[in-house]
Amino acid sequence: MADPRENARRIAVLIRRAAEEGCGAVCFPELALTGYTCGDLFREKALLDTAEESLVWLLKDTEDLDILCAVGVPVPYNGGLYNCCAVFHRGKLLGLPAKKHIPNYSEFYELRHFTPAPKENLSLQFAEQETILGSMVFPCENVEGLCFGVEICEDLWGAEPPSAELAQNGATVLLNSSCSDETIGKAEYRRELVKSWSAHLLASYVYADSGIGESTTDMVFAGHDMIAENGTLLGESRLFTTGLTTAEVDLERLTQERRRMNTWQERRELPRISFRYEQATIDAFTPRREFEKYPFVPQDREGLSSRCELILTMQSVGLATRMSRIGCKTLVLNLSGGLDSTLALLAAVRAFDRLDLPRTGIHTLSLPCFGTTGRTKSNAQKIAEELGVSFQEISIEKAVRQHFEDIGQSEDDLDVTFENAQARERTQVAMDMANKVGGIVLGTGDLSELALGWATYNGDHMSMYGVNASIPKTLVRHLVRYEAEHSGDRLRQALEDVLDTPVSPELLPPKDGEISQKTEDLVGPYELHDFFLYYMLRFGFRPGKIYRMACRTFREEYTPETIKHWLTTFYRRFFSQQFKRSCLPDGPKVGSVTLSPRGDFRMPSDAGWSVWKDELERL
């Protein structure tokens, strides 16, 4: 406390350590050079002069470091004392953002010492340099999307945080030099505040809080440091500890989000004080950030359970609404014994229960043909019986063989015609059965299949309502498992066996009674495709970035060559199969990524993929 020289020395050590760790910026607490709890010592010219002298020393001591720094310091000017944050880079004092909202309630009495930030920026000399005091942003000239804004402690807690204006003036990384005392429950509130404002402003929010070095005369300080990005906490210190809390911010993700939301309006009203990094610093940066393998799936069990329950409810509400609006009391579903049709049935049962309709109005069909195995057919029947829905088995072999004879297709030729004829016959039976019972056909295709075009056009591609259309394969599995965990023994066993069954369209003859056609052997692992899909559609990332992210995330499972192969497959199929997505049936949106041609995604069916292909070939 009240020892700027010692504080400057300790700050310099941490700045150097942060630079050695590859950080591009470092933020220190409010009034870090003097301490926040100096009280009436802020009226002492000796303290204020020493703080300024210590900043001069700090600027010179760190001028060899290619890192932007933000350090809290009191700044006297024309009879006022301003609570500021000195922002500097390579020894140059870029600016002095000043605190706007000065608290004077409860344990705070800052108005006794400090003046709110001026309405108009002030030009002044401080720490032996010409600079400005007030509000400004700090864009980086040679890192795309990087622009810093600074607010101080209470500024965040007010009704109109300056960070809103800073963000609208281009700031993507918001630094907060803070000194927030610790009281019961405050850490939780502070954490949610930082997360929510980072989401509200589509920004990264860096919160540096004073710790145990502050005076404990009337308050205790815990040093609660946090780094958030668009609502997600990337890094957080333990309370009552000291040192650096670091994280990597994805600037492209933030700028893409702002670009996507057309209600986000950028302004250019505040002064822009630019800086630039050395190219060697940029070249030396090595990403260490980890990414979720399954971005569609919550990682904690409690979050996953609540998400599963919500999605199943959304599916059932969407279907129930459709049925009630068209006066429909029955539906038909091709139940294969696979994951997708099982999930569709589980959603349908919930919808019928919601509408107080008898479950027997759900007509499930088993339509075995050349590739059907006893395992899947048996599971389909068990699940239907346990759920109390109608079940009927109709072999389509005779009809498909007649069709082969009509078009001159050899049954020995296991080509795409051999496969798709079965899929289309199943759809025809389902459609006609729906007419017969006065109902609609419920679609089963999921988001991952739609992205890859892994559907037979006018076969399983078509229905009257696609209840799984916005649910990716990796999430389908968790939804079925969630229902299994809440089911009786016999149903649970059947659902668990469905989960253990390889994903397959079962259109080719089995080998020794086992499934011979495994989807992931043909189009690639769905865990990779869902990863690719999420970051391509949600954030518009380039193939090269997605490739690097996938290589880091799946380094234990796949080689870079394998990842490149399936990423190329993903892009090729995604572009070539858009025509199937252009005429999709209706279906409920449940997540932020969807391919409905009437909803979030509009793409010409004739778009070429050469731009993406060329980049993939260069990897």
Side-chain angles (χ1 to χ4, degrees), residues 248 285-293 528 531-532 544-560 563:
E248 291 175 18
F285 175 72
T286 302
R288 290 169 289 182
R289 181 167 172 171
E290 297 291 341
F291 301 92
E292 298 291 353
K293 284 185 179 179
L528 283 180
F531 186 89
F532 303 153
K545 180 169 182 174
I546 296 174
Y547 167 75
R548 291 188 292 274
M549 291 166 61
C551 286
R552 179 164 183 79
T553 303
F554 294 95
R555 58 189 178 273
E556 303 284 331
E557 293 85 4
Y558 304 102
T559 65
I563 291 172

Side-chain angles (χ1 to χ4, degrees), residues 103-116:
N104 221 54
Y105 60 88
S106 298
E107 64 266 44
F108 305 107
Y109 48 93
E110 280 187 48
L111 280 175
R112 181 179 176 92
H113 311 110
F114 292 101
T115 303

Side-chain angles (χ1 to χ4, degrees), residues 255-271:
T255 54
Q256 287 285 71
E257 277 293 89
R258 291 183 178 184
R259 192 172 296 145
R260 183 178 70 91
M261 294 180 64
N262 70 322
T263 51
W264 178 267
Q265 305 232 342
E266 190 166 305
R267 305 197 299 257
R268 291 294 177 105
E269 299 171 353
L270 297 179

Side-chain angles (χ1 to χ4, degrees), residues 312-326:
L312 285 160
T313 301
M314 293 173 72
Q315 286 180 285
S316 62
V317 168
L319 177 57
T321 302
R322 170 55 52 88
M323 292 182 66
S324 63
R325 292 297 187 271
I326 63 176

Side-chain angles (χ1 to χ4, degrees), residues 556-575:
E556 303 284 331
E557 293 85 4
Y558 304 102
T559 65
E561 292 76 19
T562 300
I563 291 172
K564 178 181 176 181
H565 170 76
W566 291 124
L567 183 59
T568 303
T569 297
F570 172 82
Y571 274 101
R572 174 179 58 80
R573 293 192 64 98
F574 187 88
F575 275 84

Side-chain angles (χ1 to χ4, degrees), residues 109-162:
Y109 48 93
E110 280 187 48
L111 280 175
R112 181 179 176 92
H113 311 110
F114 292 101
T115 303
K119 292 183 179 179
E120 300 291 335
N121 286 343
L122 306 175
S123 296
L124 73 163
Q125 184 171 28
F126 188 73
E128 300 181 355
Q129 297 189 32
E130 292 294 328
T131 188
I132 64 172
L133 182 153
S135 184
M136 68 287 295
V137 293
F138 306 93
C140 181
E141 295 175 357
N142 57 344
V143 175
E144 184 179 359
L146 179 57
C147 181
F148 291 98
V150 178
E151 64 182 2
I152 300 173
C153 197
E154 184 74 14
D155 285 343
L156 172 63
W157 302 69
E160 296 183 3

